[in-house]
Amino acid sequence: MDDARDARAPEKATPSASSAASPTGTTSPAIGGSDAQGPVPLPRLGHELPFVAPSSYLRPATRAMADKTPSPLDKEQMQGLRGIREFLKVRTSYDVLPLSFRLVVLDNDLLIKKSLNILIQNGIVSAPLWDSRNSAFAGLLTSTDYINVIQYYCQFPDQLNQVDQFRLCNLRDIEKAIGVVPLETVSVHPMRPLYEACRRMLKTRARRIPLVDTDDETGRETVVSVITQYRILKFIAVNNEQHTMLLKKPVGELGLGTYTNLATATMSSSVLDVIHLMVKHNISAVPIVDQEYKLLNVFEAVDVIPCIKGGAYDELSATVGEAISRRAEDFAGIYTCGEDDRLDSIFDTIRKSRVHRLIVIDDDSRLKGIISLSDVLKYVLLHGEEDDSIRG
Ligand code: AMP
């Protein structure tokens, strides 16, 4: 288990006094020292020290200006981002939904154990909850809730029988018992601008948001569907190619994603250890690497669901390798990219395939970083925005 490996080695050279170069490029270690051949020259301004003070030669104003001048590539990139933002402002969350879709809503009174089977049987990883006593939307069930139940089981192992009897309406009590700050129950109206749903997602770190409508006459709520970061980015990729094709800067140059302190595990790590890692880092996936740090697979939060099917919490000591082998046949696969890959090609991949994150690797398949859909969404919405108040 490697919890804190820095995947990107520091590249900045440290300036050293003994090799300080003069403006002409010659090495001048002792300017201002005594000279046996002639009179000691008077120190010039900036030369009082035993070596050249670099500040006397730098031209910060001109350099800074030169660095800030946007290249044609930067300009095109910003044009693409602005185009996408405008598009998100004129489309609604409802527009993202396909013409026909299926929605599984679970009653809050259902046993947690049974909810697991329903998700697995329906091939889904989350479901809106319904409070039938009050006829109201009651939140969204996700893999995070099951991870909370697992944490509860770990903290109170002698209460397995009680865990078995928990219902979905007890999820909030479980959060309190294990000391987790409850997630805000976010939802958006389907007819509000899509941009608003994206901002809500970034602010609350929610990876999916239910669309909840309210009947004008009865005031009753209806859950229309759930939109995910993947659906939104796919909607952009499919309908906005004229703007995504302008995003030609490589992901490494953009610093898109996370490249330091990567949480990783090996095939022989236990599922429970990897779950603890996800909780500690508040992440939804852990890359699985070998001894040489080569990428082998990724364990995702949704992989937890089949592991505890039927309430088998004591099987969490199984290895990640065993858990991954239980994945459904239609598992979408792991997507990788290099630091030189451009954002437009990432949108191409999203357009064609069901991608939830991209793992950044080098030519030898060594892990370099991870780009989550939340990183892409954040970049698309907020990069270059001057007004800090709109940052989530
Ligand atoms: P996610 O949970 O996938 O939405 O990612 C949330 C944030 O954590 C993003 O900025 C990711 O780049 C970052 N992240 C995702 N997985 C990992 C990981 N295994 N180690 C470190 N950071 C990660």
Side-chain angles (χ1 to χ4, degrees):
M1 176 90 40
D2 185 352
D3 186 357
R5 180 158 173 179
D6 186 338
R8 189 186 264 179
E11 286 166 6
K12 247 188 196 164
T14 318
S16 101
S18 63
S19 64
S22 72
T24 54
T26 53
T27 307
S28 322
I31 294 179
S34 71
D35 185 347
Q37 305 290 307
V40 178
L42 282 176
R44 281 189 287 125
L45 205 61
H47 286 231
E48 300 87 346
L49 298 167
F51 53 85
V52 175
S55 58
S56 56
Y57 291 103
L58 292 180
R59 310 277 186 276
T62 342
R63 261 189 83 161
M65 271 166 63
D67 286 346
K68 277 194 177 162
T69 311
S71 68
L73 208 63
D74 286 323
K75 282 188 193 157
E76 236 180 47
Q77 185 96 0
M78 270 324 290
Q79 194 188 332
L81 292 176
R82 278 193 211 105
I84 296 173
R85 288 170 198 166
E86 286 313 308
F87 171 78
L88 293 172
K89 285 175 186 167
V90 296
R91 296 303 181 101
T92 66
S93 295
Y94 192 77
D95 292 334
V96 179
L97 303 181
L99 277 181
S100 95
F101 59 87
R102 181 184 58 142
L103 178 67
V104 177
V105 180
L106 300 182
D107 194 292
N108 227 1
D109 248 355
L110 191 71
L111 282 174
I112 294 180
K113 203 163 93 174
K114 286 197 176 170
S115 71
L116 276 163
N117 292 341
I118 295 174
L119 294 191
I120 294 168
Q121 276 161 15
N122 285 280
I124 52 176
V125 292
S126 81
L129 301 177
W130 186 251
D131 175 352
S132 45
R133 278 178 214 152
N134 299 310
S135 296
F137 163 67
L140 190 66
L141 173 72
T142 69
S143 48
T144 305
D145 293 306
Y146 296 114
I147 288 176
N148 287 344
V149 177
I150 293 168
Q151 284 183 276
Y152 182 91
Y153 169 69
C154 291
Q155 287 185 25
F156 310 99
D158 49 335
Q159 301 202 14
L160 182 60
N161 287 345
Q162 195 195 343
V163 173
D164 250 13
Q165 294 312 310
F166 276 140
R167 295 175 186 277
L168 293 173
C169 56
N170 298 126
L171 285 171
R172 301 288 88 92
D173 306 322
I174 293 174
E175 280 174 350
K176 266 188 221 148
I178 60 169
V180 162
V181 181
L183 283 178
E184 201 187 321
T185 310
V186 275
S187 67
V188 288
H189 192 280
M191 298 317 283
R192 297 293 304 161
L194 185 52
Y195 187 80
E196 227 174 270
C198 296
R199 295 295 318 282
R200 280 301 268 301
M201 276 182 165
L202 292 181
K203 194 163 184 190
T204 58
R205 297 198 66 180
R207 297 175 189 104
R208 50 189 78 232
I209 290 195
L211 304 182
V212 178
D213 197 356
T214 314
D215 189 296
D216 287 343
E217 285 176 17
T218 61
R220 291 221 161 148
E221 293 181 317
T222 316
V223 185
V224 177
S225 188
V226 177
I227 51 168
T228 60
Q229 292 175 343
Y230 168 69
R231 267 180 187 268
I232 294 173
L233 289 171
K234 179 160 180 154
F235 185 64
I236 294 172
V238 169
N239 297 290
N240 237 249
E241 207 173 341
Q242 78 273 28
H243 291 126
T244 58
M245 66 192 281
L246 299 177
L247 308 175
K248 295 204 185 89
K249 296 196 82 176
V251 292
E253 205 180 303
L254 296 175
L256 190 68
T258 302
Y259 296 84
T260 54
N261 292 328
L262 293 172
T264 63
T266 64
M267 281 292 183
S268 54
S269 308
S270 76
V271 171
L272 204 52
D273 281 344
V274 180
I275 290 174
H276 289 319
L277 214 48
M278 288 198 243
V279 172
K280 183 174 156 204
H281 291 259
N282 194 7
I283 48 173
S284 62
V286 174
I288 310 300
V289 291
D290 69 6
Q291 303 233 319
E292 290 170 17
Y293 216 52
K294 288 190 180 173
L295 179 72
L296 299 177
N297 217 311
V298 175
F299 188 86
E300 303 174 6
V302 294
D303 287 319
V304 168
I305 296 174
C307 289
I308 50 171
K309 186 179 170 191
Y313 298 104
D314 44 352
E315 281 181 25
L316 291 168
S317 53
T319 65
V320 165
E322 284 160 353
I324 284 176
S325 65
R326 281 185 223 147
R327 271 179 180 152
E329 299 245 311
D330 61 350
F331 175 68
I334 308 294
Y335 286 85
T336 59
C337 69
E339 281 183 275
D340 290 341
D341 279 319
R342 304 177 335 190
L343 192 48
D344 61 345
S345 60
I346 291 189
F347 269 104
D348 275 344
T349 312
I350 293 174
R351 187 177 303 121
K352 292 175 198 146
S353 328
R354 203 172 181 78
V355 186
H356 291 292
R357 63 192 57 76
L358 288 118
I359 311 295
V360 187
I361 52 172
D362 67 12
D363 293 342
D364 292 325
S365 294
R366 282 205 183 80
L367 176 67
K368 301 289 285 181
I370 183 159
I371 303 175
S372 291
L373 294 189
S374 52
D375 297 318
V376 179
L377 197 61
K378 190 169 181 186
Y379 177 80
V380 165
L381 252 76
L382 301 181
H383 177 77
E385 283 292 344
E386 306 229 314
D387 179 5
D388 266 3
S389 65
I390 77 152
R391 293 185 160 262

